[in-house]
Amino acid sequence: MAPAAQEAAFTAAELDIADELGVQLVRFVRLINKAKSQVAKQGPDGIERAAYAILFHLIHDGPQRTSKLAEALHAEISTISRQSSALVQHGLVERQADPEDGRACLLAPTAEGLRVFEENRKKRNLWLAEVLAEWPEEDRQTLNELLDRLNSGIERHIPHVADHGSAQAKGADA
């Protein structure tokens, strides 16, 4: 659908709400990035914080090739390769033969990787519990339900490559 036709499909009130959501999402992302930057760029084990995203994907989605991880994380294969090598050196990830192609390898979390992941998850959960400590239980549940709906909607409506340039330009104005 062309942008003008898309815009005509929504009322002014719907577009105003979408604009406010956009503002709040930009604010949210900036605050999350600020909170992340307060934590050392490298964890206590000397691994880049960004490398933990690889560990997260391997734990949640199972063993994967470097190329699949790069696609999932919207990163260059060289970056994923460097970060995964650090995870392997620290014993958090191991290389396994790909059962579908013996020439390729899959990356998989080790028992130590699972332990470190759970330790980091526990720290994150304690921080979020502190952030939400003054919220009523019902509001916390509602937030989780609404974020799940928002994430599902975003997953269903990822902009196409052709729309990407105009979406970036609009995002820069926010």
Side-chain angles (χ1 to χ4, degrees):
M1 189 182 291
Q6 242 181 341
E7 205 169 307
F10 300 103
T11 67
E14 289 172 322
L15 293 172
D16 286 346
I17 289 170
D19 184 58
E20 179 58 27
L21 176 61
V23 169
Q24 292 302 325
L25 286 173
V26 167
R27 179 178 172 214
F28 176 76
V29 169
R30 286 180 180 156
L31 288 168
I32 290 297
N33 287 335
K34 182 177 182 177
K36 282 177 157 183
S37 73
Q38 297 301 316
V39 177
K41 287 192 187 280
Q42 294 200 342
D45 42 22
I47 297 170
E48 291 178 60
R49 284 277 169 210
Y52 286 107
I54 294 171
L55 190 56
F56 175 88
H57 273 277
L58 295 175
I59 288 169
H60 285 278
D61 300 330
Q64 296 178 39
R65 287 185 179 187
T66 303
S67 58
K68 186 174 178 186
L69 283 167
E71 183 180 318
L73 295 170
H74 309 289
E76 297 293 325
I77 289 177
S78 61
T79 301
I80 298 300
S81 181
R82 178 178 46 78
Q83 292 172 341
S84 61
S85 290
L87 291 168
V88 168
Q89 287 175 339
H90 283 82
L92 305 179
V93 168
E94 64 184 359
R95 289 185 175 91
Q96 301 173 343
D98 185 339
E100 295 177 15
D101 181 355
R103 300 167 297 171
C105 73
L106 299 176
L107 296 169
T110 63
E112 178 64 4
L114 287 167
R115 185 196 69 73
V116 167
F117 173 80
E118 286 303 325
E119 184 179 307
N120 280 300
R121 181 180 186 175
K122 186 177 182 180
K123 287 177 186 176
R124 181 203 62 202
N125 291 347
L126 288 169
W127 175 69
L128 287 171
E130 182 181 349
V131 168
L132 300 174
E134 296 177 11
W135 289 37
E137 176 67 24
E138 185 179 330
D139 287 355
R140 288 182 252 172
Q141 290 296 334
T142 300
L143 176 63
N144 282 328
E145 292 166 11
L146 292 174
L147 279 174
D148 180 54
R149 281 176 55 193
L150 178 63
N151 286 331
S152 295
I154 290 170
E155 287 169 343
R156 284 190 309 275
H157 299 281
I158 296 289
H160 299 291
V161 175
D163 297 341
H164 188 67
S166 63
Q168 274 187 332
K170 288 178 185 173
D173 295 335

